[in-house]
Amino acid sequence: MPSRPFKAVSLATVMFAGSLTAGCSSAAGSATLDTSKPVTITVWTGQDIAPEKVLEGLAKQFHTLHPNVTIDIYPGAPTTDALLPKLTAAFTSGDYPDVSYTFGSWATELQQSGRALDLTDKVKDPSVAWDEFPPAARQTATPNGEVIGFPAVVDNLALMYNKKLFAAAGLPDPTDTWTWDQFRAAAKALTNPAKNIYGTAYSVSGTEDTTWHFWPLLWQKGGSILTPDDKKAAFDSPAGVSALTFLQQMAVDDKSVYLSQDDDKYADLFKSGLIGMIMSGPWQLSDNVSAGLDYGVTYLPSFNGTSHQTISGPDLWTVFDHHDADRSYWSYQFTEWLTSAAVDPQFNLATGNLPLRSSEESSPAFATFAKQYPGAETLEKNLQNATTARPTVPGYTGLSQAVATAIAEVLQGKSTPQQALDQAAAQANTALAQGD
């Protein structure tokens, strides 16, 4: 279960020349819909070999249901990250796909490109059951108020804990109603320097992994990442300073936080039994099970005793417009079908992801999945606590890097929360202005 990185590359600055491996002609097609006419739809997946094969099988299923529709499945690029440069080049040449897997962070730029198909009215149809997708996923798919695709993969951060370490320390297990004060007290009690055991961990790598673990604490404190117009940084507010001060107290004063210099070490130490609690998501479950770890999963703690707000990094199936009524119709039909409650488990559960829709919680497929990976049910329910989407605006990459650096400096005792966040805000405002 791989983590879901949150990437952002500016469409305005990324230019690739040359032809693309798998594309479609963008020549204007029929303006009159004919659902019986033969049509070919190209889908870029950005997937590794195993999930790619799953999608190829599903494309054949759709073709069986609709023999006049051929779904050509291609990776589109060597990695998911490389899809955006490929799409950028394809927008220029006209050879862009009908549907592509995209990171949620690209949503605003894809909508602003003018190439995305506007699905806003279509998803209002009750049969689509749009409300079954998690709130943050729906927000991500709706940049500037325009729906450009369907959620493809959803995740979230929850609290994972080592039951054996809690029992050895004589501590009760965490619950879904825990507060951050309880979390801090437990982390301090679990820490045992003589045995190299830490109560919890935090990445100080300076990447998005550092940043996105901070956002739920900011939101729970009542803060925002950006100003309402999305033009300026707002995380250097009293809420942001308070949230970062809490982490600083645990890391610097309590010394209960293992400060991981990369984004993998702390997860490895957790599954090895040397860290009591971590904030992690569904990608961690298979590692826990493979390691034979006796673990539990709860919602993130709360500052006020009621809000257990978390964060999600949803990816999308973005649908593109070729000004061809037949291609637009079948691109939409295929994407809606692929993300339906009946079909989605065949992709997401088969590849180790959470189901997309709330209605899938009661499905036999998810029951089997949850039995294999304890904690999956909590993570699925936790999607409803992911009520705010991360920004998808140009410039988020620079903002994230500035915030990650600030957090790392504070947790390592090199700066104060106010000073670090003020400096990060100035850098973030420059990134937002430049779209970098």
Side-chain angles (χ1 to χ4, degrees), residues 168-358:
L171 298 173
D173 286 351
T175 69
D176 286 341
T177 61
W178 246 29
T179 65
W180 285 109
D181 286 339
Q182 289 175 295
F183 173 84
R184 180 181 177 183
K188 193 171 182 179
L190 288 165
T191 300
N192 186 338
K195 295 183 178 180
N196 292 318
I197 294 175
Y198 285 85
T200 189
Y202 202 100
S203 170
V204 290
S205 65
T207 68
E208 174 65 13
D209 195 65
T210 302
T211 303
W212 86 311
H213 283 77
F214 176 69
W215 294 147
L217 281 73
L218 171 72
W219 290 332
Q220 286 190 22
K221 285 284 188 179
S224 300
I225 299 173
L226 299 173
T227 54
D229 62 3
D230 290 342
K231 300 295 185 182
K232 299 282 187 179
F235 54 76
D236 55 332
S237 61
V241 172
S242 179
L244 188 51
T245 298
F246 172 78
L247 294 176
Q248 177 196 39
Q249 291 169 340
M250 292 189 65
V252 178
D253 299 340
D254 299 349
K255 301 187 186 312
S256 62
V257 184
Y258 174 78
L259 300 178
S260 183
Q261 298 299 319
D262 61 44
D263 299 336
D264 299 316
K265 185 67 173 178
Y266 69 93
D268 291 338
L269 292 175
F270 174 71
K271 71 180 183 182
S272 298
L274 295 175
I275 292 177
M277 303 175 287
I278 60 171
M279 295 165 61
S280 193
W283 55 88
Q284 183 69 29
L285 296 180
S286 62
D287 283 349
N288 293 347
V289 171
S290 297
L293 186 68
D294 188 10
Y295 68 97
V297 180
T298 69
Y299 295 159
L300 292 184
S302 169
F303 281 116
N304 62 12
T306 57
S307 172
H308 294 272
Q309 187 168 2
T310 186
I311 189 168
S312 178
D315 297 335
L316 304 176
W317 290 113
T318 301
V319 183
F320 296 103
D321 189 1
H322 285 272
H323 306 288
D324 182 312
D326 298 326
R327 289 171 67 175
S328 294
Y329 176 84
W330 287 112
S331 296
Y332 173 79
Q333 293 297 322
F334 173 71
T335 311
E336 182 190 359
W337 175 84
L338 181 65
T339 58
S340 66
V343 179
D344 172 58
Q346 298 179 58
F347 174 63
N348 272 312
L349 294 186
T351 53
N353 300 313
L354 293 177
L356 292 176
R357 294 173 175 268
S358 56

